[in-house]
Amino acid sequence: MTRYKEKDTLYANPLGSIGAFSFDAKTAAVFPDMIQRSAPGYAAIIQAIGLLAARFCREQSRCYDLGCSLGAASFAMQREIRAKEYRIVAVDNSAAMLDRMRLHLNENQLHSIDMVCADIRAIPIEQASVVVLNFTLQFVPIADRPPLIAKIYQGLLPGGALILSEKIAFVDPRQQQLHTELHHAFKQAQGYSELEISQKRTALENVLLPETLETHQNRLRDAGFASAETWFQYFNFASLIALK
Ligand code: GEK
């Protein structure tokens, strides 16, 4: 499966002007390498999403993977879920991402996964026992986040779970600085150069908008979730589980 092994060199050479980051075909081609080397703990989170889905997925329910990219979280869920007659609904608005996901789906004959090319703000969420937002909400405009979280809450069955992973911000400027620098150290340790790190940061400005853990927890509570706890954090990358 060589097509999943392309190295991310998108920002390796000096770019005259740095356009806004986009989930296009170039990004899709290097995505597994990019996210693995950019998001601390990504592989551990993906594995845990499988275990969490196995615990929460109910028969005849749906598990949503919102902003699925190449489907890593969907495939982890599919590997672990033992319930009967469930569907995984994997949604992304990048056709380039879904084209690559489809190759894997077809190759492995994974019939329990439906792919939907759509904006996650526009699709209905129904009969859900599990909803995954794995590093996706951070790309949704801040004003659109409360209605999206409210829609997810409404679409979850009682006892259902939302798994929300995000790059997070900190109120204390010293903590913000510390975690930003630690994240850069992580990326350097993964082989990214100073130039790559700084050009990527410029491309993500105004595209990836992190919020504090407190802001996320307040929004989840306001939407109706009974509780929301952090089950994972590695520097400024965290994952929450919210229970209906
Ligand atoms: C993983 N969850 O590997 N509607 C649909 N898709 C969207 C929207 C939107 N409004 N906004 C962004 N996306 C994946 C990783 S990546 C995270 C998620 C990252 C999609 C976008 O096209 C991209 O595929 C994904 O959300 C974010 O577990 O690149 O840091």
Side-chain angles (χ1 to χ4, degrees):
M1 297 225 299
T2 46
R3 63 176 166 269
Y4 292 119
K5 298 225 172 89
E6 259 179 78
K7 189 171 156 88
D8 169 24
T9 55
L10 295 186
Y11 295 95
N13 298 313
L15 300 167
S17 73
I18 303 172
F21 184 78
S22 114
F23 292 102
D24 56 15
K26 278 189 193 160
T27 300
V30 299
F31 190 73
D33 180 68
M34 171 186 280
I35 193 148
Q36 176 79 32
R37 294 200 290 136
S38 305
Y42 174 75
I45 292 172
I46 289 292
Q47 189 180 21
I49 286 173
L51 303 180
L52 290 165
R55 185 177 172 106
F56 283 93
C57 178
R58 295 279 159 264
E59 262 178 51
Q60 315 229 320
S61 74
R62 295 181 193 164
C63 300
Y64 286 86
D65 180 5
L66 302 179
C68 60
S69 300
L70 306 193
S74 293
F75 300 139
M77 291 197 279
Q78 187 273 332
R79 271 194 298 275
E80 298 293 339
I81 291 173
R82 297 287 170 266
K84 294 194 185 87
E85 292 186 40
Y86 70 95
R87 303 295 307 165
I88 292 172
V89 185
V91 188
D92 207 291
N93 62 357
S94 162
M97 288 286 192
L98 294 183
D99 284 347
R100 284 185 176 256
M101 179 175 175
R102 188 174 298 108
L103 297 174
H104 186 82
L105 260 189
N106 294 342
E107 211 165 81
N108 294 280
Q109 307 248 320
L110 302 176
H111 302 301
S112 54
I113 304 177
D114 302 314
M115 284 192 333
V116 180
C117 190
D119 192 307
I120 58 172
R121 292 167 293 180
I123 54 142
I125 308 270
E126 288 159 345
Q127 283 290 109
S129 52
V130 177
V131 177
V132 173
L133 275 169
N134 201 36
F135 301 111
T136 302
L137 190 66
Q138 60 195 16
F139 294 106
V140 172
I142 288 182
D144 295 342
R145 295 179 191 184
L148 174 59
I149 295 295
K151 177 174 74 172
I152 290 169
Y153 178 80
Q154 295 303 330
L156 273 166
L157 299 165
L162 164 63
I163 301 154
L164 172 64
S165 312
E166 288 276 291
K167 182 176 187 183
I168 54 168
F170 298 84
V171 178
D172 175 4
R174 281 200 303 164
Q175 292 285 0
Q176 182 62 45
Q177 181 75 16
L178 171 66
H179 283 81
T180 303
E181 287 173 11
L182 288 169
H183 181 219
H184 288 179
F186 174 89
K187 290 187 74 164
Q188 275 185 318
Q190 300 296 318
Y192 282 118
S193 68
E194 281 293 343
L195 178 70
E196 285 178 292
I197 294 170
S198 93
Q199 292 195 130
K200 175 88 178 282
R201 186 180 47 212
T202 303
L204 282 172
E205 244 164 58
N206 305 319
V207 176
L208 191 171
L209 301 169
E211 298 173 293
T212 63
L213 274 178
E214 196 188 359
T215 299
H216 286 295
Q217 274 169 325
N218 288 343
R219 181 182 295 128
L220 291 164
R221 197 197 46 229
D222 291 348
F225 284 95
S227 62
E229 295 289 348
T230 306
W231 66 269
F232 183 93
Q233 188 174 342
Y234 185 163
F235 300 150
N236 45 353
F237 288 73
S239 190
L240 303 169
I241 179 155
L243 303 178
K244 179 160 177 174

